[in-house]
Amino acid sequence: MDENELNLRPNQIPEELKGSIAVTTLDRIYNWSRRNSIWPMMFGLACCAIEMIATAASRYDFSRFGMEVMRASPRQADVMIVSGTVTKKMIPQIVRLYNQMAEPKYVIAMGACASGGGPFKEGYNVVPGIDRFIPVDVYIPGCPPTPQALLNGLITLQKKIDSESLKSVRWYQKGKIEPIPIPVLGPDLIDPRQSPLIKELCQSQISNVSPAGTPENLEAHHDNQLD
């Protein structure tokens, strides 16, 4: 235990008691315990996942930060590292996994593709940023980011956890936390949160159709040609 991280007033504790007494707050000890036990979810999307695997290996070893337990189940994971290109075919699965994670949960967008589409942003099958569907806590630039960059992103996440308070975090507020609607993959990717806007646009297009193009008028025109 590092007394500089946990103690609120280390100078006010007598020297002979510093090894057994800590003056702190509930927020501080709660965040101190969480920041050192963040379990990432074990999944990868593209080439950034290779760098994530290298970060977990012996040379960089992010178990030093209490993150060595990568869980294959979203219900046992604390942080989702979106490592790679997010395609429209994959985004429904990512949102579903995010919804299945228990609170508190965090998201790291690793690399240019996860952050904003990267070199494939204009592609017909690529989502230009995972933050269009799930909230992101830390962005890591690079294509792909190095293991050192991922470690820096994880340390940044730890600093964010340190600044949180039980009074303001969403999982201790009254009311139910609604899950994010899972996108629908059809001819294109449809976000259910935009259903009212899609319905309004469709109705406006239908109302703007010329009367000459209605089925009744087309049938009457066909009969006149036969006569």
Side-chain angles (χ1 to χ4, degrees):
M1 179 185 299
D2 187 354
E3 65 176 20
N4 293 327
E5 291 183 2
L6 195 58
N7 275 330
L8 190 62
R9 299 182 180 90
N11 296 330
Q12 298 182 8
I13 303 175
E15 287 295 334
E16 63 272 13
L17 297 178
K18 282 188 176 181
S20 56
I21 293 179
V23 179
T24 187
T25 62
L26 182 59
D27 282 340
R28 201 158 185 172
I29 195 169
Y30 176 67
N31 293 334
W32 172 83
S33 61
R34 290 195 305 117
R35 76 189 299 274
N36 294 308
S37 59
I38 303 175
W39 292 359
M41 188 157 57
M42 186 186 296
F43 91 108
L45 298 176
C47 45
C48 285
I50 304 299
E51 301 297 325
M52 181 180 68
I53 295 169
T55 310
S58 58
R59 181 172 183 179
Y60 298 97
D61 188 19
F62 61 24
S63 63
R64 296 174 292 164
F65 305 93
M67 302 174 183
E68 73 276 11
V69 187
M70 299 191 73
R71 309 306 297 177
S73 169
R75 293 174 177 85
Q76 298 175 354
D78 302 304
V79 57
M80 172 186 285
I81 303 176
V82 183
S83 54
T85 310
V86 182
T87 62
K88 294 179 180 178
K89 187 176 182 180
M90 194 66 190
I91 192 65
Q93 283 63 251
I94 295 176
V95 175
R96 184 178 290 110
L97 289 173
Y98 177 82
N99 288 334
Q100 292 175 354
M101 293 173 64
E103 295 283 359
K105 55 188 175 183
Y106 304 93
V107 177
I108 294 177
M110 180 181 178
C113 291
S115 300
F120 311 106
K121 182 178 181 179
E122 303 299 330
Y124 68 94
N125 65 329
V126 174
V127 176
I130 189 66
D131 56 359
R132 297 199 173 197
F133 294 93
I134 59 177
V136 174
D137 299 282
V138 177
Y139 295 88
I140 303 176
C143 188
T146 61
Q148 295 94 326
L150 178 55
L151 289 177
N152 183 69
L154 294 172
I155 294 172
T156 304
L157 179 60
Q158 287 184 325
K159 292 178 180 178
K160 178 176 182 177
I161 293 174
D162 288 337
S163 64
E164 292 178 337
S165 174
L166 294 175
K167 298 179 181 179
S168 58
V169 291
R170 64 179 180 269
W171 56 88
Y172 275 122
Q173 303 303 311
K174 293 182 179 179
K176 181 182 178 182
I177 300 178
E178 294 295 334
I180 297 176
I182 298 175
V184 179
L185 182 61
D188 202 347
L189 200 59
I190 301 174
D191 189 348
R193 293 172 294 186
Q194 297 180 352
S195 295
L197 177 60
I198 296 173
K199 184 177 180 180
E200 180 182 348
L201 291 174
C202 291
Q203 289 177 345
S204 64
Q205 290 180 358
I206 292 173
S207 61
N208 292 333
V209 173
S210 174
T214 59
E216 294 80 4
N217 291 340
L218 292 175
E219 184 177 355
H221 178 69
H222 179 68
D223 294 339
N224 293 333
Q225 285 184 333
L226 292 177
D227 295 338

